[in-house]
């Protein structure tokens, strides 16, 4: 990845907040990044639980690469991010998992910071999804859905979806920016 003057990136979403977070992360390490959002399926449930979070992100990259090939699109990196609920640490948390893959199938992944979910909301989130529960708790707002996310409301405007997405992709980029140590 070193030495890239221009980098073309495809990301498996049309969500502008996720696209902006990914672009911010990439610009920490690469000078000129073009990023294009293409929505593809995750092949997991609407509300991923536990390992489905990683599986959904991985599936989106696989489906994005297939879409790019079928449409004669070229890219240097393929990105996705999936949000979900997990109790892998013994407590229910919301987290994002970012997956990055290049044309040689070299993959890396990272997570955003996690935040706790009140026990009384866990089943409702699993049965519907986090966004719907946030709509019930606060209000439906397209700006929140596309840019700030529920985390912006929960942190009283200190961390947005863009920030959280940026952090997840920075963590996923560690293998790429240190690839000589990983390969």
């Amino acid at each position: 990845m070193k030495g890239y003057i221009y980098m073309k990136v495809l990301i498996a979403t049309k969500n502008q907040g996720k696209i902006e977070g990914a672009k911010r992360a990439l610009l920490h390490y690469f000078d000129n990044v073009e990023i294009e959002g293409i929505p593809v399926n995750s092949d997991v449930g609407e509300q991923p639980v536990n390992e489905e979070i990683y599986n959904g992100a991985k599936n989106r990259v696989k489906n994005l690469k297939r879409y790019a090939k079928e449409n004669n699109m070229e890219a240097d990196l393929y990105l996705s991010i999936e949000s979900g609920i997990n109790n892998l640490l013994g407590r229910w948390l919301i987290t994002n998992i970012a997956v990055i893959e290049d044309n040689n199938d070299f993959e890396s992944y990272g997570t955003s910071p996690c935040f706790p979910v009140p026990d009384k909301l866990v089943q409702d989130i699993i049965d519907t999804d986090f966004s719907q529960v946030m709509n019930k708790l606060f209000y439906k707002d397209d700006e929140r859905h596309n840019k700030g996310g529920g985390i912006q409301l929960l942190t009283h405007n200190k961390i947005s979806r863009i920030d959280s997405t940026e952090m997840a992709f920075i963590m996923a980029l560690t293998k790429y920016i240190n690839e000589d140590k990983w390969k």
Side-chain angles (χ1 to χ4, degrees):
M1 291 283 102
K2 293 179 179 147
Y4 272 78
I5 294 171
Y6 168 79
M7 180 177 287
K8 171 69 177 182
V9 176
L10 298 179
I11 185 169
T13 186
K14 277 292 198 187
N15 181 291
Q16 291 303 306
K18 292 178 180 180
I19 292 170
E20 179 63 25
K23 187 167 189 172
R24 282 188 195 176
L26 290 162
L27 287 172
H28 287 293
Y29 306 103
F30 308 105
D31 293 330
N32 189 358
V33 176
E34 178 188 343
I35 188 166
E36 181 178 349
I38 299 169
V40 294
N41 289 328
S42 68
D43 301 327
V44 297
E46 186 66 30
Q47 179 58 71
V49 179
N50 292 328
E51 291 88 356
E52 289 178 336
I53 307 166
Y54 166 78
N55 292 337
K58 176 70 175 164
N59 291 342
R60 284 186 196 275
V61 166
K62 176 186 74 175
N63 292 335
L64 181 61
K65 288 176 94 172
R66 182 182 316 120
Y67 178 91
K69 184 176 182 178
E70 290 170 356
N71 291 278
N72 297 315
M73 300 173 77
E74 292 186 18
D76 299 299
L77 293 177
Y78 303 84
L79 283 61
S80 72
I81 190 160
E82 192 75 27
S83 179
I85 186 169
N86 77 78
N87 68 345
L88 300 174
L89 301 175
R91 300 284 186 262
W92 287 101
L93 303 164
I94 298 289
T95 193
N96 296 303
I97 297 179
V99 172
I100 301 174
E101 206 172 281
D102 66 14
N103 288 305
N104 298 316
D105 299 326
F106 183 65
E107 178 200 89
S108 188
Y109 48 88
T111 66
S112 67
C114 302
F115 58 91
V117 177
D119 289 339
K120 68 181 185 178
L121 299 179
V122 169
Q123 197 57 51
D124 198 16
I125 291 170
I126 291 171
D127 291 344
T128 59
D129 68 38
F130 178 66
S131 183
Q132 287 184 38
V133 172
M134 290 302 294
N135 288 343
K136 285 187 214 173
L137 291 175
F138 294 95
Y139 54 87
K140 180 161 177 35
D141 178 0
D142 289 335
E143 179 70 13
R144 173 185 62 81
H145 179 73
N146 286 320
K147 296 231 176 170
I151 192 60
Q152 187 164 333
L153 292 171
L154 293 172
T155 63
H156 296 216
N157 297 315
K158 299 299 181 211
I159 296 175
S160 69
R161 168 183 282 138
I162 295 170
D163 301 327
S164 181
T165 300
E166 177 184 3
M167 289 180 239
F169 278 114
I170 289 172
M171 296 298 105
L173 281 164
T174 58
K175 280 176 79 173
Y176 285 93
I177 62 175
N178 297 290
E179 78 181 292
D180 57 325
K181 292 169 181 55
W182 288 95
K183 288 185 176 179

